Structure formats: C-alpha cells, structure tokens
Amino acid sequence: MSLALDPAAQDLLFREARTANTFTDEPVTDEQVRAIYDLVKYGPTAFNQSPLRVTLVRSPEARERLVRHMAEGNQAKTAAAPLVAVLSADNEFHEELPALLPHFPQAKDAFFSERPVREGSALVNAALQAAYFIVGVRAAGLAAGPMTGLDFEGLRKEFLDDDHTPLMVVNIGRPGPDAWFPRSPRLEYEQVVTTV
C-alpha cells in the first residue's frame, strides 16, 4: 500500500528533510510563520488544549540574550539563523478551554483544576505540537534546526514566565553551505512495532 501524500511531498517533509546547521541570510517573514501556524494548528491535542506557545526572537538584542543560554556548540548557528523560535508549553492552557472545547467547557475545571495535572498534560501536548511545527516549517520549504542543548531555566527566566515551560529552540531559514551533518541511522520497523 502506498501513502496518499505524493512522493515529492514525502521527501520534503521527511526523507530529504534534515536538521540544518547553517542558513542563508534570506529572511523568514511573519507571513511565512503565520502560514506555518495556520497549517499546524490543526494537529490534534488532548481536549484540543493547544498548549504550545511560540516566541519569535528577531531583534539583535534578544538574539544576543538568547545565545547566552545556548550550549557552546549551538551558539554560532543560533546567532546566525534568520529566525529563531522558542517553543514552550503554557501551563495555564486551561483558561482557553471554554473557547477551544465549546461542547465541553467544564473540562477546564473537571480535569485541569490542579497545576501538576496541567503541567504534565501541557508538556506532552506541546511537545506533540512542536513536532507539528517542525513539519510545518519543512512544508513552507524552509529548514528547521531544533535544539535542546541549552540552559532551560535561564531561557525561561529570560523570555518566559513561571506559567511557561520551555521545550526547545528552533532555528529557521533556508539551508546554507554545508548545512547537513551525515544522516544518522534510524530504527527499522521490526525494532519499533510490536503486535499483540
């Protein structure tokens, strides 16, 4: 059985897509980011909670502040990327549930009244949305460089607040010279899938 998505799109989103380590200086526009979001917002989350929040780091001053929190090996590429997005989980996502889940507005209080429950759910579902975001960047014909090599607490204090948990930093742009490391192996189907 073949996939419904045409092979060129499969390659763009998965087979040929790579984590970029260098970028050209071509800007990433707000219109491109909006188009990415307008596509990936349809990915499912539990209770449609949609806890992902995106902080775009555009100004030179903000970029300098961000780079200080990146691991040494990630600093140069974050400094040079045309756009950097800080992806975080909103631990107060439940405040939006009456609008996001209009057929069950009481879910806000019935399931998410306690902060530890919200934090766990926000983390899982925002991570899911972060994956959609990366695929959306690829669908826009751009490359993404997601990174978790950073000082998370420093990043949170610098750009977020106590209601947001940072997940990753994503460098975004058109790939530059020598953008790719050699592709690492992947697990085969039989190593991952079990039928019971």
Side-chain angles (χ1 to χ4, degrees):
M1 177 180 164
S2 63
L3 299 173
L5 195 63
D6 94 25
Q10 294 172 37
D11 288 344
L12 177 70
L13 299 178
F14 297 101
R15 290 191 198 96
E16 299 299 324
R18 307 286 294 281
T19 295
N21 294 288
T22 67
F23 296 91
T24 69
D25 59 2
E26 182 180 332
V28 177
T29 67
D30 288 335
E31 292 75 21
Q32 287 172 300
V33 177
R34 180 175 293 278
I36 291 164
Y37 177 73
D38 284 344
L39 175 65
V40 304
K41 70 184 179 184
Y42 294 109
T45 57
F47 291 92
N48 197 34
Q49 64 188 247
S50 306
L52 181 71
R53 300 297 179 262
V54 181
T55 303
L56 300 178
V57 181
R58 286 201 181 274
S59 75
E61 299 79 19
R63 185 70 61 94
E64 187 176 309
R65 290 170 30 225
L66 173 61
V67 167
R68 287 195 302 256
H69 298 290
M70 302 304 296
E72 186 176 344
N74 292 333
Q75 290 180 347
K77 50 191 167 185
T78 299
L83 179 64
V84 181
V86 174
L87 305 187
S88 63
D90 181 357
N91 296 309
E92 298 298 310
F93 68 85
H94 68 307
E95 296 297 343
E96 304 294 338
L97 281 180
L100 292 172
L101 204 64
H103 62 281
F104 187 28
Q106 61 271 35
K108 172 188 172 189
D109 298 315
F111 294 100
F112 299 109
S113 62
E114 296 180 19
R115 176 70 180 237
V117 172
R118 289 197 307 274
E119 287 178 353
S121 191
L123 187 63
V124 168
N125 286 280
L128 183 62
Q129 287 187 283
Y132 302 146
F133 182 84
I134 292 165
V135 173
V137 168
R138 293 171 173 180
L142 301 170
M147 296 176 296
T148 57
L150 56 103
D151 171 8
F152 282 92
E153 184 57 21
L155 180 72
R156 187 191 62 72
K157 287 179 181 176
E158 191 79 46
F159 290 97
L160 306 170
D161 58 32
D162 289 338
D163 289 333
H164 293 80
T165 302
L167 301 172
M168 66 183 69
V169 167
V170 183
N171 295 332
I172 304 169
R174 301 231 177 255
D178 302 316
W180 321 119
F181 294 149
R183 187 182 288 284
S184 297
R186 298 299 195 264
L187 294 174
E188 295 299 326
Y189 178 87
E190 294 77 16
Q191 295 173 281
V192 175
V193 178
T194 303
T195 301
V196 295

